[in-house]
Amino acid sequence: MNGPRFNEFIQSPKVRVIDQDGENLGVMYTREAMEQAREVGLDLVEVSPNADPPVAKFLDVGKFKYEAQKKANVARKSQKTQEIKEIKMRPNIDDHDYDTKMKAIHKFIGEGDKVKVTLRFRGRELSHGQLGMVLLKRVQEDTAEIAKIESYPRMEGRQMLMVISPK
């Protein structure tokens, strides 16, 4: 059974009871509380099972489950998943192209996503790894106030990778 325990599913012999108007009726036997709930046409629902004694409330079980489900759906809708966006560059990138890539990085970081900066080396560029380090250092400095380095620049085959994430 998923969801809160109610009526005969409540295992503890005594519960602290709260009626439909939010009034605290005190601690009473579970059976007695269930009878009182039935008299007003509601169920006895365990709202705080870990308390001592557990807290139970006079509620309509179906309505309670429906409200909880609705709340969970809203929470699921409003949560943002963090994606990893990738920006690819070459070590001898021109200033204007660099500025364009930086605009994209700023936009991604602003949206709360991580950015993976990939520097691809071709041919003789591989023997000039320091150029790649200089470029990635520049990216790091230009994003210093909005992002932090999650993984520092490292070589993987013919490319150099660095991951930055929002502060």
Side-chain angles (χ1 to χ4, degrees), residues 58-100:
F58 293 172
L59 294 168
D60 178 358
V61 142
K63 193 174 177 184
F64 182 72
K65 280 185 178 174
Y66 173 72
E67 294 291 337
Q69 196 175 5
K70 239 168 73 169
K71 218 179 273 178
N73 283 345
V74 168
R76 193 167 49 245
K77 255 187 208 149
S78 64
Q79 86 186 74
K80 167 114 174 66
T81 56
Q82 194 176 45
E83 294 176 35
I84 295 188
K85 306 281 190 173
E86 186 173 20
I87 295 285
K88 291 184 179 174
M89 295 184 192
R90 296 279 307 281
N92 54 355
I93 189 170
D94 196 49
D95 284 339
H96 183 263
D97 296 337
Y98 175 81
D99 293 339
T100 307

Side-chain angles (χ1 to χ4, degrees), residues 5-7 10 15-23 33 37 42-48 54-61 64:
R5 291 194 286 249
F6 61 95
N7 294 346
I10 298 176
V15 288
R16 180 174 305 280
V17 180
I18 296 168
D19 71 6
Q20 65 275 18
D21 303 320
E23 295 293 317
L42 295 169
D43 302 299
L44 185 70
V45 181
E46 201 172 44
V47 287
S48 176
V55 178
K57 208 170 187 179
F58 293 172
L59 294 168
D60 178 358
V61 142
F64 182 72

Side-chain angles (χ1 to χ4, degrees), residues 30 72 85 145 164:
T30 307
K85 306 281 190 173
E145 67 275 358
I164 52 181

